[in-house]
Amino acid sequence: DHIDSVASIGEIYFEKGLVAESIPYFRRAIESNPLDAVSNNNLGNALYYAGDFANSLKYLNASVKIKPD
């Protein structure tokens, strides 16, 4: 699936420490599927490490609301 590939590219960038580069990929995955808890969580983490704490919390909270367990 194309969106899974987009999210995977974001994960690869993030894991390599290229946080800023990962953010657009996570955003694209969420635009395609706003109820993707994993992509919301990943974007929240990436934004946190990028120093954007307010937006980070928005996506981390969304992730928990989508999938509380």
Side-chain angles (χ1 to χ4, degrees), residues 5 7 10-11 14 16 18 21 25 43 51 53-55 57-58 68:
S5 297
E11 290 172 11
F14 186 82
K16 291 185 175 274
L18 301 170
E21 290 83 350
Y25 290 95
L43 179 56
F53 304 118
N55 281 315
L57 193 56
K58 171 185 165 185

Side-chain angles (χ1 to χ4, degrees), residues 3 5 10 15 24 27-28 38 40 47 52-53 58:
I3 294 308
S5 297
E15 289 170 6
R27 287 193 191 279
R28 283 178 51 200
V38 173
N40 274 280
L47 290 169
D52 187 351
F53 304 118
K58 171 185 165 185

Side-chain angles (χ1 to χ4, degrees), residues 1-49:
D1 178 73
H2 173 69
I3 294 308
D4 289 337
S5 297
V6 169
S8 294
I9 293 169
E11 290 172 11
I12 291 167
Y13 278 126
F14 186 82
E15 289 170 6
K16 291 185 175 274
L18 301 170
V19 175
E21 290 83 350
S22 72
I23 292 171
Y25 290 95
F26 295 137
R27 287 193 191 279
R28 283 178 51 200
I30 293 167
E31 286 171 7
S32 177
N33 182 6
L35 297 179
D36 180 353
V38 173
S39 289
N40 274 280
N41 183 68
N42 289 343
L43 179 56
N45 285 327
L47 290 169
Y48 175 84
Y49 285 104

